[in-house]
Amino acid sequence: ERVAANGPERVSLRGRALADADAVQAVCDAVLALGPGGPNDGDSMTSPSPTVTLNLASGNVCGAGASRLAAFLLDPRCAVRELNLLDNPRLGVHLAEVADCPPAHAVEHTESDKVVDGLGCLALAAALQSPNCSLTRLNLGGCGLTCGGVSALASALMGDGETRSRSPSPCLLSINL
């Protein structure tokens, strides 16, 4: 219904809580299935999806979900240029006990949170450095990212200046933290 309202170029699930990483994977699979002819077209396995904007703001995306998004961004059928993950605090890591590394956005996590692992930023950073990633804009405002997560993303955007072992993201123009 959301695709019918916005068209396949802009898929928005803003405010729709995604239960876990499998729900994020289902969204990614659905976006890829929007390729020419849809899921029953034999060519949809190689044709790019028409989706250029994916909005998962306030979608309850966790670190494992971000890892699934990173794999999605590297799929050759993915043509997403803008990914909005605004206000997904479970994506970041709550490290209040680490004195020198408070979260960029104060987020309270409870023991009932399923995944608060911080690996999402590392996976996204790795995907951003790939020439296969078409993303030009990434919005992570209000995600509770720690210094480590922000550092990984900054390295992806600018390249690793210390060792020169990693080059900057080939197409990313902006990250909103």
Side-chain angles (χ1 to χ4, degrees):
E1 105 193 29
R2 303 287 273 189
V3 172
N6 296 326
E9 295 82 17
R10 185 178 187 283
V11 175
S12 178
L13 296 173
R14 182 180 185 94
R16 304 277 177 112
L18 301 171
D20 54 23
D22 291 336
V24 173
Q25 183 67 53
V27 170
C28 295
D29 292 344
V31 167
L32 293 176
L34 293 172
N40 297 323
D41 182 6
D43 195 35
S44 69
M45 295 308 289
T46 57
S47 299
S49 166
T51 304
V52 293
T53 300
L54 180 57
N55 185 353
L56 299 177
S58 303
N60 203 31
V61 175
C62 60
S67 295
R68 303 275 181 98
L69 282 169
F72 162 74
L73 292 171
L74 294 177
D75 189 297
R77 298 169 292 160
C78 178
V80 171
R81 310 281 289 161
E82 182 176 355
L83 178 58
N84 184 2
L85 293 171
L86 181 72
D87 293 329
N88 280 285
R90 291 179 62 219
L91 180 64
V93 182
H94 183 63
L95 293 175
E97 65 276 6
V98 179
D100 294 335
C101 192
H105 175 74
V107 177
E108 292 299 323
H109 294 287
T110 65
E111 291 181 21
S112 65
D113 284 332
K114 293 180 184 174
V115 179
V116 184
D117 60 7
L119 298 177
C121 286
L122 296 176
L124 285 171
L128 293 173
Q129 289 180 302
S130 170
N132 297 330
C133 183
S134 61
L135 204 63
T136 59
R137 296 183 194 278
L138 177 60
N139 187 350
L140 293 167
C143 288
L145 304 183
T146 62
C147 299
V150 172
S151 178
L153 292 166
S155 290
L157 183 61
M158 300 180 328
D160 187 347
E162 213 171 281
T163 65
R164 300 283 181 216
S165 63
R166 293 180 283 181
S167 59
S169 175
C171 59
L172 190 68
L173 300 175
S174 69
I175 298 177
N176 177 18
L177 301 175

